Short mmCIF file of all heavy atoms in Angstrom, two decimals:
data_model
loop_
_atom_site.label_atom_id
_atom_site.label_comp_id
_atom_site.label_asym_id
_atom_site.label_seq_id
_atom_site.Cartn_x
_atom_site.Cartn_y
_atom_site.Cartn_z
N MET A 132 5.71 43.52 -68.04
CA MET A 132 4.22 43.54 -67.73
C MET A 132 4.06 42.93 -66.39
O MET A 132 4.80 41.96 -66.11
CB MET A 132 3.53 42.76 -68.84
CG MET A 132 1.98 43.12 -68.77
SD MET A 132 1.13 42.37 -70.14
CE MET A 132 1.61 43.43 -71.45
N LEU A 133 2.98 43.38 -65.61
CA LEU A 133 2.84 42.80 -64.30
C LEU A 133 1.50 42.09 -64.31
O LEU A 133 0.54 42.42 -65.10
CB LEU A 133 2.82 43.82 -63.28
CG LEU A 133 4.11 44.64 -63.17
CD1 LEU A 133 4.07 45.79 -62.10
CD2 LEU A 133 5.25 43.64 -62.60
N ALA A 134 1.29 41.25 -63.38
CA ALA A 134 0.06 40.51 -63.10
C ALA A 134 -0.20 40.33 -61.66
O ALA A 134 0.77 40.05 -60.91
CB ALA A 134 0.05 39.32 -64.05
N LYS A 135 -1.45 40.04 -61.36
CA LYS A 135 -1.76 39.63 -60.03
C LYS A 135 -2.38 38.15 -60.15
O LYS A 135 -3.04 37.75 -61.10
CB LYS A 135 -2.85 40.45 -59.39
CG LYS A 135 -2.38 41.81 -59.01
CD LYS A 135 -3.42 42.49 -58.24
CE LYS A 135 -2.92 43.87 -57.66
NZ LYS A 135 -3.90 44.51 -56.76
N LEU A 136 -2.07 37.27 -59.09
CA LEU A 136 -2.61 36.04 -59.09
C LEU A 136 -3.91 36.03 -58.20
O LEU A 136 -3.94 36.83 -57.32
CB LEU A 136 -1.58 35.13 -58.48
CG LEU A 136 -0.25 34.83 -59.25
CD1 LEU A 136 0.64 33.91 -58.42
CD2 LEU A 136 -0.55 34.21 -60.55
N GLU A 137 -4.84 35.13 -58.55
CA GLU A 137 -5.89 35.00 -57.68
C GLU A 137 -6.17 33.46 -57.58
O GLU A 137 -6.11 32.73 -58.54
CB GLU A 137 -7.07 35.61 -58.40
CG GLU A 137 -8.41 35.71 -57.63
CD GLU A 137 -9.50 36.45 -58.33
OE1 GLU A 137 -9.38 37.63 -58.76
OE2 GLU A 137 -10.54 35.85 -58.57
N ILE A 138 -6.45 33.02 -56.36
CA ILE A 138 -6.74 31.47 -56.10
C ILE A 138 -8.21 31.33 -56.12
O ILE A 138 -8.98 31.99 -55.45
CB ILE A 138 -6.23 31.07 -54.79
CG1 ILE A 138 -4.66 31.51 -54.62
CG2 ILE A 138 -6.35 29.59 -54.60
CD1 ILE A 138 -3.73 30.89 -55.62
N ASP A 139 -8.66 30.37 -56.98
CA ASP A 139 -10.07 29.99 -56.85
C ASP A 139 -10.15 28.91 -55.86
O ASP A 139 -9.87 27.71 -56.15
CB ASP A 139 -10.44 29.38 -58.27
CG ASP A 139 -11.93 29.13 -58.42
OD1 ASP A 139 -12.56 28.83 -57.31
OD2 ASP A 139 -12.37 29.05 -59.52
N ILE A 140 -10.43 29.30 -54.65
CA ILE A 140 -10.40 28.48 -53.47
C ILE A 140 -11.22 27.15 -53.64
O ILE A 140 -10.67 26.04 -53.34
CB ILE A 140 -10.89 29.25 -52.18
CG1 ILE A 140 -10.10 30.55 -51.99
CG2 ILE A 140 -10.82 28.26 -50.98
CD1 ILE A 140 -8.69 30.14 -51.62
N PRO A 141 -12.38 27.15 -54.08
CA PRO A 141 -13.10 25.93 -54.25
C PRO A 141 -12.52 24.95 -55.24
O PRO A 141 -12.68 23.74 -55.14
CB PRO A 141 -14.57 26.34 -54.76
CG PRO A 141 -14.70 27.74 -54.44
CD PRO A 141 -13.30 28.35 -54.43
N MET A 142 -11.69 25.39 -56.12
CA MET A 142 -11.03 24.57 -57.12
C MET A 142 -9.78 24.04 -56.55
O MET A 142 -9.20 22.98 -57.03
CB MET A 142 -10.70 25.38 -58.43
CG MET A 142 -11.83 25.81 -59.16
SD MET A 142 -12.60 24.61 -60.13
CE MET A 142 -11.39 24.46 -61.45
N CYS A 143 -9.22 24.61 -55.54
CA CYS A 143 -7.86 24.11 -55.01
C CYS A 143 -8.04 22.77 -54.24
O CYS A 143 -8.88 22.59 -53.43
CB CYS A 143 -7.33 25.18 -54.02
SG CYS A 143 -5.75 24.69 -53.30
N GLN A 144 -7.16 21.80 -54.71
CA GLN A 144 -7.15 20.46 -54.07
C GLN A 144 -6.05 20.29 -53.16
O GLN A 144 -5.69 19.16 -52.85
CB GLN A 144 -7.32 19.44 -55.23
CG GLN A 144 -8.54 19.61 -56.15
CD GLN A 144 -9.81 19.36 -55.30
OE1 GLN A 144 -9.97 18.30 -54.56
NE2 GLN A 144 -10.68 20.36 -55.45
N ALA A 145 -5.39 21.37 -52.93
CA ALA A 145 -4.21 21.35 -51.90
C ALA A 145 -3.08 20.38 -52.22
O ALA A 145 -2.50 19.72 -51.41
CB ALA A 145 -4.81 20.98 -50.54
N HIS A 146 -2.74 20.37 -53.62
CA HIS A 146 -1.65 19.50 -53.99
C HIS A 146 -0.31 20.13 -53.47
O HIS A 146 0.68 19.41 -53.20
CB HIS A 146 -1.56 19.40 -55.58
CG HIS A 146 -2.77 18.86 -56.20
ND1 HIS A 146 -3.23 17.59 -55.95
CD2 HIS A 146 -3.65 19.46 -57.09
CE1 HIS A 146 -4.29 17.38 -56.78
NE2 HIS A 146 -4.59 18.46 -57.33
N GLY A 147 -0.24 21.43 -53.42
CA GLY A 147 0.88 22.01 -53.03
C GLY A 147 2.02 22.36 -54.03
O GLY A 147 3.04 22.98 -53.77
N ARG A 148 1.66 22.07 -55.19
CA ARG A 148 2.73 22.36 -56.31
C ARG A 148 3.03 23.77 -56.41
O ARG A 148 4.13 24.18 -56.67
CB ARG A 148 2.16 21.75 -57.60
CG ARG A 148 2.04 20.36 -57.71
CD ARG A 148 1.71 19.84 -59.01
NE ARG A 148 1.32 18.36 -59.05
CZ ARG A 148 0.97 17.81 -60.15
NH1 ARG A 148 0.84 18.38 -61.29
NH2 ARG A 148 0.63 16.51 -60.14
N CYS A 149 2.04 24.62 -56.25
CA CYS A 149 2.29 26.11 -56.58
C CYS A 149 3.08 26.63 -55.45
O CYS A 149 4.17 27.29 -55.82
CB CYS A 149 0.94 26.77 -56.58
SG CYS A 149 -0.15 26.62 -55.17
N TYR A 150 2.81 26.39 -54.19
CA TYR A 150 3.57 26.98 -53.16
C TYR A 150 4.93 26.30 -52.90
O TYR A 150 5.79 26.87 -52.34
CB TYR A 150 2.82 27.25 -51.85
CG TYR A 150 2.05 26.06 -51.36
CD1 TYR A 150 2.53 24.96 -50.64
CD2 TYR A 150 0.62 26.01 -51.53
CE1 TYR A 150 1.74 23.90 -50.18
CE2 TYR A 150 -0.29 25.09 -51.00
CZ TYR A 150 0.41 24.02 -50.30
OH TYR A 150 -0.38 22.96 -49.88
N GLU A 151 5.03 25.13 -53.41
CA GLU A 151 6.39 24.49 -53.39
C GLU A 151 7.27 25.09 -54.44
O GLU A 151 8.49 25.29 -54.30
CB GLU A 151 6.33 22.94 -53.58
CG GLU A 151 5.69 22.27 -52.31
CD GLU A 151 5.45 20.79 -52.51
OE1 GLU A 151 5.69 20.29 -53.62
OE2 GLU A 151 4.91 20.23 -51.64
N THR A 152 6.70 25.42 -55.61
CA THR A 152 7.41 26.08 -56.70
C THR A 152 7.63 27.56 -56.37
O THR A 152 8.81 28.07 -56.70
CB THR A 152 6.60 26.07 -57.98
OG1 THR A 152 6.28 24.75 -58.23
CG2 THR A 152 7.20 26.71 -59.15
N ALA A 153 6.83 28.31 -55.74
CA ALA A 153 7.00 29.73 -55.55
C ALA A 153 6.61 30.03 -54.04
O ALA A 153 5.68 30.78 -53.80
CB ALA A 153 6.05 30.52 -56.42
N PRO A 154 7.53 29.55 -53.16
CA PRO A 154 7.18 29.76 -51.70
C PRO A 154 7.30 31.27 -51.29
O PRO A 154 6.81 31.70 -50.26
CB PRO A 154 8.24 29.02 -50.92
CG PRO A 154 9.37 28.85 -51.84
CD PRO A 154 8.68 28.79 -53.29
N ASP A 155 7.89 32.16 -52.19
CA ASP A 155 8.03 33.58 -51.91
C ASP A 155 6.70 34.27 -52.25
O ASP A 155 6.41 35.37 -51.77
CB ASP A 155 9.15 34.24 -52.64
CG ASP A 155 9.03 33.94 -54.16
OD1 ASP A 155 8.62 32.90 -54.56
OD2 ASP A 155 9.37 34.92 -54.98
N VAL A 156 5.92 33.65 -53.07
CA VAL A 156 4.57 34.18 -53.53
C VAL A 156 3.41 33.62 -52.79
O VAL A 156 2.39 34.35 -52.56
CB VAL A 156 4.57 34.02 -55.09
CG1 VAL A 156 3.18 34.55 -55.57
CG2 VAL A 156 5.61 34.77 -55.74
N LEU A 157 3.40 32.24 -52.58
CA LEU A 157 2.34 31.56 -52.18
C LEU A 157 2.66 30.85 -50.89
O LEU A 157 3.73 30.31 -50.65
CB LEU A 157 1.81 30.54 -53.24
CG LEU A 157 1.12 31.14 -54.42
CD1 LEU A 157 1.25 30.15 -55.55
CD2 LEU A 157 -0.27 31.58 -54.22
N ASP A 158 1.59 30.60 -50.00
CA ASP A 158 1.75 29.79 -48.82
C ASP A 158 0.51 28.82 -48.68
O ASP A 158 -0.41 28.97 -49.60
CB ASP A 158 1.71 30.76 -47.57
CG ASP A 158 2.47 30.08 -46.39
OD1 ASP A 158 2.74 28.92 -46.45
OD2 ASP A 158 2.71 30.83 -45.36
N ALA A 159 0.51 28.11 -47.80
CA ALA A 159 -0.63 27.20 -47.53
C ALA A 159 -1.36 27.49 -46.20
O ALA A 159 -0.77 27.93 -45.21
CB ALA A 159 -0.20 25.68 -47.50
N ASP A 160 -2.69 27.37 -46.24
CA ASP A 160 -3.41 27.52 -44.97
C ASP A 160 -3.36 26.21 -44.21
O ASP A 160 -2.68 25.25 -44.68
CB ASP A 160 -4.83 28.08 -45.20
CG ASP A 160 -5.78 27.01 -45.85
OD1 ASP A 160 -5.44 25.79 -45.96
OD2 ASP A 160 -6.90 27.40 -46.17
N ASP A 161 -4.09 26.05 -43.14
CA ASP A 161 -4.00 24.86 -42.30
C ASP A 161 -4.46 23.60 -43.03
O ASP A 161 -4.10 22.50 -42.63
CB ASP A 161 -4.75 25.10 -40.99
CG ASP A 161 -4.06 26.07 -40.08
OD1 ASP A 161 -2.95 26.41 -40.33
OD2 ASP A 161 -4.80 26.62 -39.13
N ASN A 162 -5.26 23.85 -44.11
CA ASN A 162 -5.82 22.74 -44.83
C ASN A 162 -4.95 22.40 -46.07
O ASN A 162 -5.39 21.54 -46.86
CB ASN A 162 -7.19 22.88 -45.21
CG ASN A 162 -8.11 22.96 -43.97
OD1 ASN A 162 -7.97 22.23 -43.07
ND2 ASN A 162 -8.96 24.01 -43.95
N GLY A 163 -3.89 23.14 -46.25
CA GLY A 163 -3.06 22.89 -47.48
C GLY A 163 -3.53 23.76 -48.65
O GLY A 163 -3.01 23.54 -49.83
N VAL A 164 -4.67 24.46 -48.49
CA VAL A 164 -5.13 25.36 -49.58
C VAL A 164 -4.21 26.56 -49.80
O VAL A 164 -3.71 27.14 -48.88
CB VAL A 164 -6.53 25.79 -49.29
CG1 VAL A 164 -7.03 26.78 -50.36
CG2 VAL A 164 -7.50 24.56 -49.23
N ALA A 165 -3.96 26.80 -51.04
CA ALA A 165 -3.05 27.86 -51.49
C ALA A 165 -3.55 29.25 -51.01
O ALA A 165 -4.77 29.59 -51.24
CB ALA A 165 -2.78 27.90 -52.92
N VAL A 166 -2.70 30.11 -50.52
CA VAL A 166 -3.04 31.43 -50.16
C VAL A 166 -1.90 32.47 -50.66
O VAL A 166 -0.70 32.02 -50.56
CB VAL A 166 -3.32 31.70 -48.62
CG1 VAL A 166 -4.50 31.04 -48.16
CG2 VAL A 166 -2.08 31.26 -47.90
N LEU A 167 -2.31 33.54 -51.17
CA LEU A 167 -1.33 34.53 -51.59
C LEU A 167 -0.63 35.17 -50.40
O LEU A 167 -1.32 35.54 -49.46
CB LEU A 167 -1.98 35.60 -52.48
CG LEU A 167 -2.51 35.10 -53.91
CD1 LEU A 167 -3.39 36.13 -54.48
CD2 LEU A 167 -1.30 34.80 -54.79
N LYS A 168 0.62 35.41 -50.55
CA LYS A 168 1.31 36.06 -49.43
C LYS A 168 1.19 37.60 -49.50
O LYS A 168 1.32 38.37 -48.51
CB LYS A 168 2.83 35.70 -49.59
CG LYS A 168 3.21 34.30 -49.03
CD LYS A 168 4.69 34.18 -48.93
CE LYS A 168 5.07 33.10 -47.96
NZ LYS A 168 6.55 32.93 -47.83
N SER A 169 0.86 38.03 -50.80
CA SER A 169 0.75 39.50 -50.92
C SER A 169 -0.12 39.75 -52.06
O SER A 169 -0.34 38.93 -52.93
CB SER A 169 2.23 40.07 -51.29
OG SER A 169 2.03 41.36 -51.81
N ASP A 170 -0.83 40.95 -51.98
CA ASP A 170 -1.65 41.44 -53.18
C ASP A 170 -0.86 42.08 -54.18
O ASP A 170 -1.45 42.65 -55.23
CB ASP A 170 -2.80 42.20 -52.51
CG ASP A 170 -3.89 42.40 -53.55
OD1 ASP A 170 -4.27 41.44 -54.35
OD2 ASP A 170 -4.43 43.55 -53.52
N GLU A 171 0.42 42.25 -54.01
CA GLU A 171 1.22 43.06 -54.89
C GLU A 171 1.40 42.28 -56.37
O GLU A 171 1.54 41.07 -56.30
CB GLU A 171 2.58 43.28 -54.41
CG GLU A 171 2.63 44.26 -53.14
CD GLU A 171 2.13 45.63 -53.47
OE1 GLU A 171 2.57 46.27 -54.53
OE2 GLU A 171 1.22 46.12 -52.82
N PRO A 172 1.34 43.03 -57.36
CA PRO A 172 1.56 42.38 -58.71
C PRO A 172 2.99 41.82 -58.79
O PRO A 172 3.91 42.34 -58.13
CB PRO A 172 1.37 43.49 -59.78
CG PRO A 172 1.21 44.70 -58.94
CD PRO A 172 1.10 44.43 -57.57
N ILE A 173 3.12 40.84 -59.65
CA ILE A 173 4.42 40.25 -59.86
C ILE A 173 4.60 40.22 -61.41
O ILE A 173 3.65 40.44 -62.15
CB ILE A 173 4.59 38.78 -59.29
CG1 ILE A 173 3.55 37.81 -59.93
CG2 ILE A 173 4.48 38.82 -57.80
CD1 ILE A 173 3.73 36.34 -59.51
N ASP A 174 5.87 39.82 -61.81
CA ASP A 174 6.14 39.66 -63.30
C ASP A 174 5.12 38.86 -63.95
O ASP A 174 4.81 37.70 -63.40
CB ASP A 174 7.52 39.13 -63.49
CG ASP A 174 7.90 38.92 -64.88
OD1 ASP A 174 8.14 39.88 -65.65
OD2 ASP A 174 7.90 37.73 -65.28
N ALA A 175 4.48 39.28 -65.01
CA ALA A 175 3.35 38.43 -65.70
C ALA A 175 3.86 37.16 -66.08
O ALA A 175 3.08 36.17 -66.11
CB ALA A 175 2.80 39.23 -66.75
N GLU A 176 5.11 37.04 -66.68
CA GLU A 176 5.54 35.80 -67.12
C GLU A 176 5.68 34.70 -65.98
O GLU A 176 5.34 33.67 -66.10
CB GLU A 176 6.87 35.94 -67.85
CG GLU A 176 7.26 34.81 -68.78
CD GLU A 176 8.45 35.12 -69.63
OE1 GLU A 176 8.50 36.26 -70.22
OE2 GLU A 176 9.29 34.31 -69.81
N ARG A 177 6.19 35.22 -64.87
CA ARG A 177 6.34 34.36 -63.71
C ARG A 177 4.96 33.93 -63.23
O ARG A 177 4.74 32.82 -62.82
CB ARG A 177 7.12 35.13 -62.63
CG ARG A 177 7.33 34.18 -61.47
CD ARG A 177 8.45 34.63 -60.55
NE ARG A 177 8.68 33.42 -59.53
CZ ARG A 177 8.60 33.67 -58.29
NH1 ARG A 177 8.41 34.84 -57.70
NH2 ARG A 177 8.79 32.68 -57.48
N ALA A 178 4.02 34.95 -63.20
CA ALA A 178 2.67 34.62 -62.74
C ALA A 178 2.04 33.48 -63.57
O ALA A 178 1.46 32.58 -63.03
CB ALA A 178 1.82 35.88 -62.89
N ARG A 179 2.26 33.55 -64.93
CA ARG A 179 1.84 32.47 -65.70
C ARG A 179 2.43 31.21 -65.49
O ARG A 179 1.83 30.04 -65.49
CB ARG A 179 1.90 32.81 -67.19
CG ARG A 179 0.88 33.93 -67.65
CD ARG A 179 0.90 34.16 -69.14
NE ARG A 179 1.96 34.88 -69.66
CZ ARG A 179 2.08 36.23 -69.72
NH1 ARG A 179 0.96 36.90 -69.36
NH2 ARG A 179 3.18 36.83 -70.11
N ALA A 180 3.72 31.16 -65.16
CA ALA A 180 4.51 29.99 -64.89
C ALA A 180 3.97 29.30 -63.61
O ALA A 180 3.90 28.20 -63.46
CB ALA A 180 5.94 30.29 -64.76
N ILE A 181 3.66 30.19 -62.66
CA ILE A 181 3.18 29.63 -61.40
C ILE A 181 1.82 29.10 -61.62
O ILE A 181 1.51 27.98 -61.04
CB ILE A 181 3.05 30.85 -60.30
CG1 ILE A 181 4.49 31.19 -59.91
CG2 ILE A 181 2.36 30.35 -59.03
CD1 ILE A 181 4.60 32.49 -59.05
N ALA A 182 0.96 29.79 -62.35
CA ALA A 182 -0.38 29.24 -62.59
C ALA A 182 -0.28 27.87 -63.34
O ALA A 182 -1.23 27.07 -63.08
CB ALA A 182 -1.24 30.22 -63.43
N ALA A 183 0.71 27.70 -64.20
CA ALA A 183 0.79 26.54 -64.93
C ALA A 183 1.19 25.28 -64.12
O ALA A 183 1.09 24.14 -64.53
CB ALA A 183 1.91 26.72 -66.05
N THR A 184 1.60 25.60 -62.75
CA THR A 184 2.00 24.37 -62.00
C THR A 184 0.70 23.79 -61.37
O THR A 184 0.77 22.74 -60.86
CB THR A 184 2.81 24.96 -60.69
OG1 THR A 184 2.03 25.75 -59.87
CG2 THR A 184 4.11 25.56 -61.21
N CYS A 185 -0.40 24.35 -61.55
CA CYS A 185 -1.59 23.95 -60.89
C CYS A 185 -2.41 23.07 -61.88
O CYS A 185 -3.02 23.48 -62.85
CB CYS A 185 -2.52 25.13 -60.36
SG CYS A 185 -4.05 24.50 -59.61
N PRO A 186 -2.60 21.76 -61.48
CA PRO A 186 -3.30 20.86 -62.34
C PRO A 186 -4.77 21.12 -62.28
O PRO A 186 -5.57 20.42 -63.11
CB PRO A 186 -2.95 19.46 -61.80
CG PRO A 186 -2.57 19.62 -60.37
CD PRO A 186 -1.99 21.07 -60.33
N GLU A 187 -5.24 21.82 -61.34
CA GLU A 187 -6.74 22.03 -61.20
C GLU A 187 -7.12 23.40 -61.83
O GLU A 187 -8.30 23.72 -61.73
CB GLU A 187 -6.99 22.07 -59.66
CG GLU A 187 -6.57 20.85 -58.90
CD GLU A 187 -7.20 19.54 -59.39
OE1 GLU A 187 -8.35 19.68 -59.86
OE2 GLU A 187 -6.65 18.56 -59.10
N PHE A 188 -6.21 24.15 -62.38
CA PHE A 188 -6.56 25.35 -63.00
C PHE A 188 -7.15 26.34 -61.93
O PHE A 188 -8.07 27.15 -62.30
CB PHE A 188 -7.51 25.28 -64.35
CG PHE A 188 -6.86 24.32 -65.27
CD1 PHE A 188 -7.43 23.05 -65.51
CD2 PHE A 188 -5.80 24.64 -66.08
CE1 PHE A 188 -6.92 22.13 -66.36
CE2 PHE A 188 -5.30 23.85 -67.02
CZ PHE A 188 -5.79 22.57 -67.16
N ALA A 189 -6.68 26.26 -60.84
CA ALA A 189 -7.16 27.08 -59.67
C ALA A 189 -6.55 28.41 -59.49
O ALA A 189 -6.82 29.14 -58.60
CB ALA A 189 -7.06 26.24 -58.39
N ILE A 190 -5.39 28.59 -60.31
CA ILE A 190 -4.72 29.90 -60.16
C ILE A 190 -5.01 30.72 -61.35
O ILE A 190 -4.70 30.28 -62.52
CB ILE A 190 -3.22 29.65 -60.02
CG1 ILE A 190 -2.97 28.72 -58.86
CG2 ILE A 190 -2.46 30.93 -59.82
CD1 ILE A 190 -1.50 28.37 -58.72
N LEU A 191 -5.59 31.87 -61.14
CA LEU A 191 -5.90 32.82 -62.22
C LEU A 191 -4.90 33.91 -62.29
O LEU A 191 -4.41 34.37 -61.26
CB LEU A 191 -7.38 33.43 -61.88
CG LEU A 191 -8.48 32.39 -61.51
CD1 LEU A 191 -9.76 33.04 -61.30
CD2 LEU A 191 -8.56 31.38 -62.65
N VAL A 192 -4.59 34.31 -63.48
CA VAL A 192 -3.69 35.44 -63.75
C VAL A 192 -4.46 36.55 -64.30
O VAL A 192 -5.18 36.47 -65.35
CB VAL A 192 -2.60 34.90 -64.73
CG1 VAL A 192 -1.65 36.14 -65.01
CG2 VAL A 192 -1.81 33.77 -64.15
N LYS A 193 -4.26 37.65 -63.65
CA LYS A 193 -4.95 38.91 -64.15
C LYS A 193 -3.88 40.01 -64.33
O LYS A 193 -3.22 40.45 -63.45
CB LYS A 193 -6.00 39.42 -63.06
CG LYS A 193 -7.09 38.40 -62.98
CD LYS A 193 -8.24 38.95 -62.19
CE LYS A 193 -9.42 37.99 -62.26
NZ LYS A 193 -10.60 38.36 -61.42
N GLU A 194 -3.63 40.30 -65.69
CA GLU A 194 -2.69 41.39 -65.98
C GLU A 194 -3.15 42.70 -65.53
O GLU A 194 -4.35 43.03 -65.58
CB GLU A 194 -2.40 41.36 -67.50
CG GLU A 194 -1.71 40.06 -67.90
CD GLU A 194 -1.34 40.09 -69.37
OE1 GLU A 194 -1.68 41.05 -70.10
OE2 GLU A 194 -0.74 39.06 -69.85
N VAL A 195 -2.28 43.50 -64.98
CA VAL A 195 -2.58 44.82 -64.41
C VAL A 195 -1.86 45.83 -65.11
O VAL A 195 -0.86 45.58 -65.85
CB VAL A 195 -2.26 44.93 -62.88
CG1 VAL A 195 -3.24 43.91 -62.16
CG2 VAL A 195 -0.85 44.60 -62.58
S1 SF4 B 477 -1.19 23.57 -57.18
FE1 SF4 B 477 -3.40 24.32 -57.41
S2 SF4 B 477 -4.58 22.76 -56.30
FE2 SF4 B 477 -2.47 22.58 -55.70
S3 SF4 B 477 -2.32 23.94 -53.80
FE3 SF4 B 477 -1.67 25.18 -55.58
S4 SF4 B 477 -3.61 26.09 -56.28
FE4 SF4 B 477 -4.17 24.38 -54.92
#
């Protein structure tokens, strides 16, 4: 199963846990806020694991 990630920008506190865990999927903007590198879906289990790294619940997983 595949899923897309979505970042809830106002919720992001720029901890960096997500993009340190998955630098192939996520990057940081100049303020340290998470940004997706691609709009392509990824493995849903991995998407959930990436989302779980965020203590702010700012990463949403949408199965496609
Ligand atoms: S772990 Fe969450 S709060 Fe931290 S940079 Fe990633 S999305 Fe933002």
Side-chain angles (χ1 to χ4, degrees):
M132 196 173 290
L133 295 175
K135 286 188 175 185
L136 294 177
E137 190 177 303
I138 308 298
D139 185 338
I140 302 293
M142 294 282 286
C143 178
Q144 299 300 309
H146 301 298
R148 293 186 190 179
C149 58
Y150 46 79
E151 285 171 7
T152 300
D155 56 321
V156 176
L157 293 157
D158 202 353
D160 71 8
D161 290 344
N162 296 315
V164 171
V166 291
L167 289 168
K168 284 188 157 179
S169 165
D170 193 38
E171 291 299 308
I173 62 172
D174 175 73
E176 198 167 319
R177 182 159 189 238
R179 284 190 285 272
I181 293 170
T184 67
C185 180
E187 308 296 335
F188 306 105
I190 304 176
L191 310 177
V192 178
K193 296 193 173 178
E194 291 182 0
V195 294

